[in-house]
Amino acid sequence: MRELKILAVVVVLTLITYWGVEPFAHSQMHPHVDPVNYNFEESDRTTSKEAVEKAQKALAEAEKKADEKAIKGAKADLEAALTFEKTINAFWDANKAAITATPNVANGEALVTANCTACHSIESKGFPKLMDDASTAGAYGVATPDLGSAGKLYSKDYLIAFINNPALASKVSHKFTDGRAHPMPSYELMNTPQEIADMVAYLQSIAPKEMTNKEVFADACQRCHGIKYADMQKGTMGAFSPDADIKKYMGKLPPDLSQYIISRGPDYLGKFINNPQKLLEGTAMPRVGLNQESQEQVIKYLEEIGASKKAQREELGPKFLIYLVIFAIFAFLWKASKWRDVH
Amino acid sequence: MAKFEKANSVGEWLEQRLNIKAINKVMMTEYWIPKDINFLWAMGVLLATTFTILVISGLFLMMYYKPDINLAFDSVNYTIMQEVAFGWLFRHIHGVAASVIFLIIYIHMLTGIYYGSYKQGREMIWISGMLLFVTFSAAGFSGYMLPWGQMSYWAAMVITNLFGGVPVIGDALVVWIRGDFNVADATLTRFFMLHVFLLPIAIMGLIGLHFYTLRIPHVNNQSSDEFDFDAEAEKYLSGNKKESKVIPFWPVFISKDLAVLGVFLIFYFYLVFFHYSFAMDPVNFDPADPMVTPAHIYPEWYFLWSYEVLRGFFFDIAGIKAFDIGLIAFAFANGIFFVLPWLDRDNKILPAHKRPLFFIWFWLLVVDLIVLTVYGKLPPTGTNAWVGFFAAVAFILLFVLLPVITKLDQKRRG
């Protein structure tokens, strides 16, 4: 039948165009990256190896073109990639001792209360903030986190790695060169692996079993990021650190996350939070190190705030479509009755 | 004044004063349309419906939208999308209709080209249609600016910059259009005015004109058969409906339109609820930031083909700057369709499949438009830039060759 043939042509051409401007164009603009990996040791070993391979390829490419300047740049990049690979592998090798140690929670409590509470509050255990957020942000660049929920938000391995060397664990060592140091010192130089393991065990022992999505967001993200749509009337959902301090610390003001669930989408957000460097090389955003459950809660919260009508949309859609199918059926019946006389 | 008798019904009362029976005949029951048509002839009614959907949803959105750079983004993404009851639905309906209406416009235009419905007396139908295309494009562009997201801002920046290429007055023209040296609050507010008042009014007027242009030359049919509409209408009215080559607009033609509309609305509302990001680019959910240029700037899909003609000329030729060549090509691409009736030198109205060379020309044009559209979105580097260049050259050549091709078809037919 002729009309169906014409329809097929229209549909096929429309789909080709759609494919070209949507899935195909996006695949070209946003190259594929490795999936989320919550095993941070494995992730770091793989990505540093991939970075070396990429640098080697770039060097080979430059050598093929015999471009002196490009070769020199590529050689320097490769050198840096090799150095970093060595550093990060040695770092995770060193973390092994603490990860495999049998921890002592009581000793951990003594260590944490002696070492950490000068800068960090643990409100649930009666250690209040010694200074308010604005003051700690002024002193350190960013408001310091309460440690009560750390054992819930982060895995044991990540906490050990972070206490040992915060800059390496959170993948921001590129920011702390030329004598600049991460505001939190590296404890690998001051404590034995056993002591690090004890501290982490203590943090895990005091962590709450359940947290709301909002609480996870507040503890994991809100020191730097606001999410103003969560409270437009009273404006209580800004970042804990004052804009000026956090801007100075990060190089630019971290964005408000109100619409990130739409502008970035859950897939990108998951990969980005899991390893910001993978999608935005050189970014000042740290790998926060959230475990799977916490990361999913953060993304859920962004959806609750940024796409609050999703459930309503998904519920209403099918009803609209059913109504329209009925309309179309009646329209076809009417058409058939009117055209019977003229054919 | 005429003498009025007491009316026995509302219909009679109105008939006395407005002569509604005569209007109804002229506009509906005795407005004759050819019988030999396919579903492509329903695109006009689809467009009228989609435009109505845009106007109604637009009115609701206007109740909460704030045309101010400090308020616009949140008024759309917070107030309308999250706070107002079903505000999100109106926004989705509006955003998706704005995109889908261009799909239907392109189908409508290509149908007209395929069946030769633009020439030999139908020139004004074509020209009024092209004016609608231009005003709809302006409405699409100005509307895209209103949410004041990253793409709103940067698309406005890139497109208003183009006017800088106009000789002599270019720079002053850009400032005049923007109302500021930069894309700024003044720009947003004036584009709001254009989008919600001037352009819709112009479109409504042009739709009236477009309908009126059909009156005298009549609607074409799928075999481009020329016949006496009055004689065929006579046949129909005398009860010889099967033999007559015409049908009345109401109810026979409209019954087919509504059936096609039913299918279209299922497709459209599926997009509204479940597949809308092609029309509401996620990048535009980042607030406008003059300090941060997005990694990729591209217009909405329906402008991509002409954007790629603009971008395709990426190197200087014979001392003329790439930007200027691109701009001339862009002006050519947007103007050339207006003169299509005069580029077609064939003196007979026939569907493309009865014009061998024109048939090839038509499908080459469709393929070229799709290639331009797809490459208009890709980063213009390496091979992409060259594909864009050759597709842009091909587009221009197609129109340069059209008079020859159509004349050859006529000659070969003898």
Side-chain angles (χ1 to χ4, degrees), chain A residues 55 122 138 175:
Chain A
I122 312 177
K175 263 178 27 179

PDB file of all heavy atoms in Angstrom, chain A residues 55 122 138 175:
ATOM      1  N   ALA A  55      50.071   8.231  27.048  1.00  0.00           N
ATOM      2  CA  ALA A  55      51.227   9.113  26.840  1.00  0.00           C
ATOM      3  C   ALA A  55      52.208   8.485  25.852  1.00  0.00           C
ATOM      4  O   ALA A  55      52.807   9.178  25.017  1.00  0.00           O
ATOM      5  CB  ALA A  55      51.907   9.401  28.178  1.00  0.00           C
ATOM      6  N   ILE A 122      33.103  15.601  66.287  1.00  0.00           N
ATOM      7  CA  ILE A 122      32.382  14.320  66.230  1.00  0.00           C
ATOM      8  C   ILE A 122      31.196  14.537  67.165  1.00  0.00           C
ATOM      9  O   ILE A 122      31.199  14.124  68.323  1.00  0.00           O
ATOM     10  CB  ILE A 122      33.242  13.123  66.710  1.00  0.00           C
ATOM     11  CG1 ILE A 122      34.623  13.138  66.047  1.00  0.00           C
ATOM     12  CG2 ILE A 122      32.522  11.797  66.394  1.00  0.00           C
ATOM     13  CD1 ILE A 122      35.555  12.021  66.516  1.00  0.00           C
ATOM     14  N   GLY A 138      38.034  29.581  56.675  1.00  0.00           N
ATOM     15  CA  GLY A 138      39.023  30.649  56.606  1.00  0.00           C
ATOM     16  C   GLY A 138      40.411  30.123  56.934  1.00  0.00           C
ATOM     17  O   GLY A 138      41.399  30.481  56.304  1.00  0.00           O
ATOM     18  N   LYS A 175      47.321  19.397  42.659  1.00  0.00           N
ATOM     19  CA  LYS A 175      47.053  20.742  43.168  1.00  0.00           C
ATOM     20  C   LYS A 175      48.082  21.157  44.207  1.00  0.00           C
ATOM     21  O   LYS A 175      48.241  22.328  44.509  1.00  0.00           O
ATOM     22  CB  LYS A 175      45.681  20.761  43.853  1.00  0.00           C
ATOM     23  CG  LYS A 175      44.599  21.269  42.969  1.00  0.00           C
ATOM     24  CD  LYS A 175      43.211  21.248  43.604  1.00  0.00           C
ATOM     25  CE  LYS A 175      43.080  21.343  45.091  1.00  0.00           C
ATOM     26  NZ  LYS A 175      41.675  21.335  45.534  1.00  0.00           N
TER      27      LYS A 175
END
